[in-house]
Amino acid sequence: MSLPDSFSAFRIHKDDHGHRSGLEPLQVDDLSPGQVLVRAQWSSVNYKDALAGTGRGRILRRFPLVGGIDVAGEVVASTDPAWREGDAVLATGCGLSETRDGGYSQYVRLESSAVIAQPPGLTPREAMVLGTAGFTAALALLRMQDNRLTPDHGPLAVTGASGGVGSLAVDIFSRAGYAVHAVSGKPEQADWLRAIGASEVLPREVLADTAPLQSARFGGGLDNAGGPMLASLLAQTVGYGSVVSAGLAAEPTLDMTVMPFILRGVSLLGVSSASAPRTLREQVWERLGSDWKPAHLQQICTREIGLAELPPVFESMLSGGARGRTVVRID
C-alpha cells in the first residue's frame, strides 16, 4: 500500500514557548518507532487525553507527542509476521500519548506487543466507544470476579456513573447479571443512567458518612472518585465484598481505618489499564466483544467528533460537562 507524503495528527508540544497543541502535518518517519503501522479509523476522548491536550496534567513524559491513548484501525505494514496488512486491530494505553505517539493521527506506529486483534463482535467504532474506559470497567469486573464476587453479594455501586468509565461500568456490570446502583452528583442524568442499566440512581450524599464502619448495603463496586467517597463505599460493603479503585476525580488520598478489612473481610482492588499484561488485555477484550459487550453503546456514545474538534471537548470534559463517551473519527 502506498503511503501519503504527509498526514494530519493532533500533536502536543511543551518548550520554551509553553504548552500548545493542535493539528499539524506529519510523515511516517516522524512517528515513534514500532513494528506495526496502522491506518487509524477511530479513537476516543478520555479524561487523561483532556489533561494531556490542555497541559493541565503531567501525562506526557516527553515532547512533542501525538495525543490519544486509544486507537482502532487497519494494519498497512508490519515487520512482525503476527500482523498482516488488512488486519483489524486496536491499542489502548501501552505508553500511547505518554512515552510514544498516540492515536490522534491518520497513521499510528505501534510496538507489536501493544496491538490487539479487534474482537469479531465489535466494529472499530464500537471498540473505541469502549476504549480505555470500557477496558477499565471490564478489567474491574474481572478482578472482582477473580476475587469470588458474585451477584449474590448484593448490588454494585459505581461512582462517577455518568462519566465514561462509570457509564460503561453500569452497562457491563448489569449485563453480567449484577444489580447496579449508580452514584452521581448529576440528578438530571438519572433517567439516562436507568436506561443504560442502573437499577437505582443514588446521590453522592450516600457516600458522605465518615464513620469507619457503616451499615452494609453494597456487594462492592467501582470507584472513580477516591478520597472520602471510596472510604465510605468500603465502610458500606458487605462481608467479603470487593471494591475496585480506578480513579481520583475527587482526590488521590484515602484516609480511613482498617475496620472494613479486618471485621468484614472486604477487599480493595486496583486496576491499571495502561500497563495491564498482554494476556489480560486479550482476555478482557474477548469478553467485551462477546458476553460483556454493553447493550447500550449507542446511548453511551454521546458525541462523535473529528480531530479538529478536540480542544473544546477537552475543556468540556475538564469542567465536568461530559456525559458518556466521545469517539473521534479519524478522517
Side-chain angles (χ1 to χ4, degrees):
M1 179 179 179
S2 60
L3 301 176
D5 292 335
S6 66
F7 52 86
S8 293
F10 187 90
R11 209 175 194 199
I12 304 167
H13 297 259
K14 184 178 180 181
D15 51 29
D16 293 341
H17 301 286
H19 180 280
R20 64 190 188 282
S21 60
L23 288 181
E24 59 185 82
L26 292 183
Q27 298 178 332
V28 170
D29 287 344
D30 295 323
L31 298 174
S32 302
Q35 297 80 36
V36 185
L37 182 65
V38 174
R39 173 61 169 97
Q41 298 167 336
W42 296 93
S43 184
S44 69
V45 181
N46 301 277
Y47 194 77
K48 193 173 180 180
D49 294 315
L51 291 173
T54 59
R56 296 183 198 171
R58 298 179 63 181
I59 306 300
L60 275 64
R61 298 183 188 177
R62 65 181 184 86
F63 295 88
L65 283 180
V66 175
I69 65 173
D70 296 338
V71 67
E74 185 177 288
V75 174
V76 295
S78 175
T79 59
D80 185 336
W83 304 105
R84 299 181 179 181
E85 183 177 340
D87 286 347
V89 298
L90 61 88
T92 59
C94 298
L96 296 182
S97 188
E98 187 174 353
T99 59
R100 58 181 300 112
D101 290 309
Y104 293 160
S105 174
Q106 291 178 307
Y107 287 86
V108 182
R109 193 155 53 187
L110 302 166
E111 295 285 348
S112 60
S113 59
V115 181
I116 300 292
Q118 181 183 296
L122 296 172
T123 66
R125 186 180 186 276
E126 288 175 331
M128 290 295 96
V129 175
L130 290 163
T132 287
F135 177 82
T136 300
L139 181 57
L141 180 56
L142 187 66
R143 291 227 59 199
M144 288 189 286
Q145 289 192 341
D146 284 347
N147 204 45
R148 301 187 178 186
L149 188 77
T150 70
D152 291 339
H153 281 85
L156 298 184
V158 176
T159 65
S162 66
V165 176
S167 58
L168 286 165
V170 168
D171 200 334
I172 291 167
F173 294 178
S174 62
R175 170 104 164 145
Y178 294 81
V180 181
H181 290 186
V183 181
S184 175
K186 299 177 180 178
E188 70 276 11
Q189 303 299 344
D191 289 343
W192 180 75
L193 288 167
R194 290 189 185 95
I196 63 172
S199 58
E200 289 193 33
V201 180
L202 307 174
R204 289 175 182 165
E205 287 73 23
V206 300
L207 298 178
D209 195 328
T210 59
L213 203 63
Q214 302 163 36
S215 297
R217 63 184 297 180
F218 302 114
L222 173 62
D223 175 64
N224 294 291
M229 290 186 73
L230 174 55
S232 185
L233 175 54
L234 287 161
Q236 295 185 52
T237 297
V238 303
Y240 289 91
S242 298
V243 174
V244 173
S245 173
L248 40 69
E251 58 182 87
T253 59
L254 182 58
D255 184 10
M256 61 177 293
T257 74
V258 297
M259 297 298 186
F261 310 122
I262 65 173
L263 296 182
R264 290 184 180 159
V266 172
S267 294
L268 174 59
L269 307 172
V271 293
S272 176
S273 58
S275 60
R278 181 182 184 83
T279 54
L280 190 56
R281 286 186 282 125
E282 289 175 331
Q283 183 180 359
V284 170
W285 279 106
E286 190 279 327
R287 300 297 295 270
L288 284 170
S290 55
D291 57 325
W292 285 358
K293 181 179 178 179
H296 307 93
L297 280 177
Q298 294 310 309
Q299 293 102 304
I300 291 173
C301 181
T302 55
R303 282 185 292 197
E304 179 182 315
I305 64 171
L307 288 173
E309 301 168 89
L310 283 167
V313 172
F314 291 159
E315 294 295 336
S316 174
M317 179 170 282
L318 294 179
S319 66
R323 181 185 78 168
R325 290 283 284 161
T326 297
V327 289
V328 183
R329 182 184 62 256
I330 310 295
D331 299 314

